[in-house]
């Protein structure tokens, strides 16, 4: 009973922690108790719950899922909803599914826990703590603390295969869960006679959509005594491996090894492939990118410090050059993605980091190359392989910040390896 | 110094904004790649001589060292040798406590010996299909031999000795991933 009470009382976290950033409907309602009785009524036009649109706390994102098998658009909301229980949220799921199906506007609700409920459980007794601690994924809630501290045996990263997400250990204990997507922008084609008619090309990044198309993904995992890997295939030309090394000295970082190409252009559409890392960090539209590996510059969405900005390009206008690192932070932690080469990057959605990895375009952008950015080898588009390191650092912990800076240089100046065939025996060696 | 000067002057050419950002025509990009890979290959010769010199207590050790295409998980030496050495160079000014090493190999049982003569733990991980199918990749490697090299000194080398375990029959290629089998 106590265990159920315990779970009940921390269920916001429990679900949030367990289901990462794609939380399901009931958590949205559970956050605001008074709404739990009233089913969420979705307005036909806006896709929002018009009674309390102002506090809806979710945003309507146009993410459209493309099922790579038969290229059919899936309505993801039904997937997210299909195996939910009705009891906690008292939301009439069937009605909601019907509404969403009719509405066909709300494609996906992202939810950020705007407030962290302080849990005021009386301290658990010894044997209760022991009972709870046998569960490998147990959370320990320290009544006096706001933060839910995840107890994980080694502070090595781990991941969830079913609902793919990565648990990046906090340097101060606990972890943050990050889900990831690969997506593509369709490139704009124009006659280059005016800025608003430019093609996306070697000098110009200009998508002709306002939201990227997100690939579906299928993941499998490999585990062993040195490294655990989560391998995800998005489509035949986009895949990645998430690597978490088990070694006690290889902690607090995750390696993403991505392989992209050859990008198909039979549909005569230029494509720009991006990686997206989604966390539930609240960064208020601010992010940091390094300029030429020197200082980190603060960037703010749709804003320039020097002049009043009106953006014609809501996506490209918020992209900045990333030489080694892009990061977002809240009042406690900094989530960084370290790149192994220069890439374009942005944070277009709260808690998200987006990096452009590979492009294949079909038109020149009239800035002088006189050639589309369509490099080929063997008459096929280039295959590109690279990697990102995900690091989480504690802004109040100097060692953690030094660790992050060293990781950045270690990523850039990686050990060089050379190999030699030999016939000598091990003893002679 | 000629080899190192060659790499320096090539890197000088690569400071052009085209080389940095990719705003050049494809055939110019290919020429940059040609220049850079030739210059890097030359510089590896210098590293190889240094390692041979460090390894031979004024004897004549003359190993033929090769750089491998680790970014496409291919390495002629490790794929075809029953016994080979790996030399790891730490370019940083601080000790690296742990370096994950991934060596492209075929599916056999390997044994890795550290400089102090101890065997170190390894894991064989299948190379992702998407890498194996890269059209320009010419390699027979189907797996990566993974181990962790610890405590490599600043600007220092560390050599490991890798051998195929004697009584391992070369396994025909299997689609099933070994980890699952072992589990």
């Amino acid at each position: 009973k106590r265990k159920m009470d315990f779970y009940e009382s921390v269920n916001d976290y429990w679900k949030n922690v367990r289901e990462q950033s794609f939380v399901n409907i009931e958590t949205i309602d559970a956050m605001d108790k008074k709404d739990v009785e009233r089913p969420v009524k979705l307005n036909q036009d806006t896709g929002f719950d018009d009674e309390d649109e102002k506090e809806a706390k979710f945003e309507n994102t146009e993410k459209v899922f493309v099922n790579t098998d038969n290229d059919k658009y899936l309505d993801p909301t039904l997937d997210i909803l299909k195996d939910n229980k009705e009891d906690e949220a008292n939301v009439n799921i069937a009605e909601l599914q019907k509404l969403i199906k009719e509405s066909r506007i709300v494609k996906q609700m992202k939810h950020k826990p705007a407030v962290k409920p302080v849990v005021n459980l009386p301290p658990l007794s010894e044997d209760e703590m022991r009972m709870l601690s046998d569960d490998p994924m147990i959370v320990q809630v320290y009544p006096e603390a706001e933060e839910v501290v995840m107890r994980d045996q080694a502070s090595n990263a781990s991941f969830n295969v079913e609902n793919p997400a990565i648990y990046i250990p906090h340097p101060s204990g606990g972890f943050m869960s990050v889900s990831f997507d690969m997506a593509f922008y369709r490139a704009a084609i124009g006659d280059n006679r005016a800025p608003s008619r430019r093609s996306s090309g070697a000098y110009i990044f200009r998508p002709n959509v306002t939201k990227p198309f997100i690939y579906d993904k299928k993941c499998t995992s490999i585990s062993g005594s040195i490294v655990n890997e989560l391998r995800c295939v998005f489509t035949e030309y986009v895949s990645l491996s998430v690597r978490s090394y088990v070694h006690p000295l290889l902690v607090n970082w995750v390696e993403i090894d991505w392989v992209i190409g050859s990008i198909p252009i039979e549909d005569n559409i230029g494509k720009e492939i991006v990686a997206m890392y989604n966390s539930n960090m609240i960064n208020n539209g601010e992010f940091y990118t390094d300029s030429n590996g020197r200082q980190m510059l603060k960037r703010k969405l749709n804003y320039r410090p020097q002049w009043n900005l009106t953006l014609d390009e809501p996506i490209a206008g918020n992209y900045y050059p990333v030489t080694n690192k892009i990061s977002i932070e809240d009042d406690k932690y900094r989530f960084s993605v370290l790149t192994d080469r220069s890439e374009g990057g942005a944070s277009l959605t709260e808690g998200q980091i987006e990096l452009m990895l590979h492009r294949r375009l079909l038109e020149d952008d009239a800035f002088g190359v006189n050639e589309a950015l369509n490099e080929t080898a063997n008459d096929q588009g280039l295959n590109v392989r690279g990697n990102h390191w995900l690091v989480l650092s504690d802004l109040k912990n100097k060692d953690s910040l030094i660790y992050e800076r060293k990781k950045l240089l270690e990523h850039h100046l990686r050990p060089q390896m050379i190999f030699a065939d030999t016939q000598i025996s091990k003893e002679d060696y | 110094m000629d080899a190192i000067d060659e790499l320096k002057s090539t890197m000088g050419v690569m400071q052009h904004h085209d080389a940095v950002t990719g705003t050049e025509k494809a055939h110019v990009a290919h020429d940059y790649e040609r220049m850079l890979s030739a210059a890097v290959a030359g510089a590896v010769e210098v590293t190889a001589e240094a390692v041979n010199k460090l390894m031979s207590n004024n004897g004549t050790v003359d190993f033929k060292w090769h750089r491998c295409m680790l970014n496409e998980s291919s390495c002629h030496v490790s794929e075809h040798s029953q016994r080979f050495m790996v030399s790891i160079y730490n370019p940083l000014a601080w000790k690296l406590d742990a370096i994950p090493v991934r060596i492209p190999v075929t599916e056999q049982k390997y044994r890795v010996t550290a400089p102090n003569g101890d065997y170190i733990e390894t894991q064989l991980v299948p190379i992702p299909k998407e890498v194996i199918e890269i059209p320009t990749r010419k390699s027979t490697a189907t797996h990566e031999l993974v181990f962790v090299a610890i405590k490599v000194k600043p600007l220092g080398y560390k050599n490991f000795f890798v051998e195929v375990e004697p009584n391992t029959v070369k396994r025909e290629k299997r689609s099933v991933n070994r980890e699952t089998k072992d589990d």
Side-chain angles (χ1 to χ4, degrees), chain A residues 17-203:
Chain A
V17 154
R18 296 282 295 195
E19 263 112 41
Q20 327 316 331
S21 55
F22 283 117
V23 293
N24 36 40
I25 296 285
E26 65 252 28
T27 317
I28 291 181
D29 284 351
M31 210 205 35
D32 203 339
K33 290 284 173 272
K34 73 175 179 341
D35 287 356
V36 168
E37 294 67 42
R38 183 178 56 78
V40 175
K41 276 194 296 302
L42 298 175
N43 170 303
Q44 181 70 19
D45 308 324
T46 65
F48 279 103
D49 176 354
D50 41 19
E51 256 102 79
D52 56 9
E53 180 174 341
K54 56 195 171 311
E55 301 150 33
K57 292 188 191 54
F58 55 77
E59 64 197 24
N60 174 18
T61 54
E62 273 296 299
K63 288 185 182 169
V64 180
F65 287 73
V66 180
N67 182 334
T68 45
D69 296 341
N70 51 22
D71 257 356
K72 286 279 171 299
Y73 286 169
L74 298 177
D75 184 338
T77 325
L78 301 181
D79 291 347
I80 292 178
L81 287 175
K82 68 174 181 295
D83 51 3
N84 271 298
K85 298 183 294 300
E86 297 197 299
D87 48 351
E88 269 123 24
N90 298 336
V91 173
N92 179 334
I93 298 286
E95 182 196 331
L96 189 56
Q97 283 181 337
K98 191 166 65 60
L99 277 171
I100 288 177
K101 215 164 176 52
E102 283 155 16
S103 70
R104 298 200 64 71
I105 292 177
V106 176
K107 286 294 173 199
Q108 185 230 358
M109 296 192 204
K110 276 191 68 163
H111 157 60
K112 292 168 289 304
V115 288
K116 291 186 181 314
V118 176
V119 181
N120 45 15
L121 269 183
L124 296 171
S125 67
E126 269 313 301
D127 60 338
E128 278 179 333
M129 190 62 96
R130 202 173 313 106
M131 174 189 71
L132 289 177
S133 67
D134 62 3
D135 179 337
M137 282 294 289
I138 192 67
V139 295
Q140 279 175 6
V141 180
Y142 298 103
E144 67 284 352
E146 273 196 348
E147 195 49 15
V148 172
V149 178
M150 187 68 189
R151 185 223 302 226
D152 48 357
Q153 281 60 29
S155 55
N156 299 67
S158 51
F159 28 71
N160 176 324
V161 185
E162 290 70 41
N163 173 7
I166 310 162
Y167 304 110
I168 308 177
H170 277 168
S172 46
F175 76 102
M176 178 172 86
S177 59
V178 170
S179 66
F180 52 89
D181 286 307
M182 292 290 236
F184 73 92
Y185 290 103
R186 273 197 310 224
I189 292 180
D191 57 11
N192 298 319
R193 290 185 197 289
S196 60
R197 293 171 16 193
R198 280 225 181 273
S199 296
S200 210
Y203 283 84

Side-chain angles (χ1 to χ4, degrees), chain B residues 77-91:
Chain B
V77 171
S78 56
E79 289 167 37
H80 298 93
S81 305
Q82 299 295 301
R83 206 176 276 172
F84 59 90
M85 285 188 297
V86 190
S87 185
I88 299 174
Y89 172 66
N90 167 13

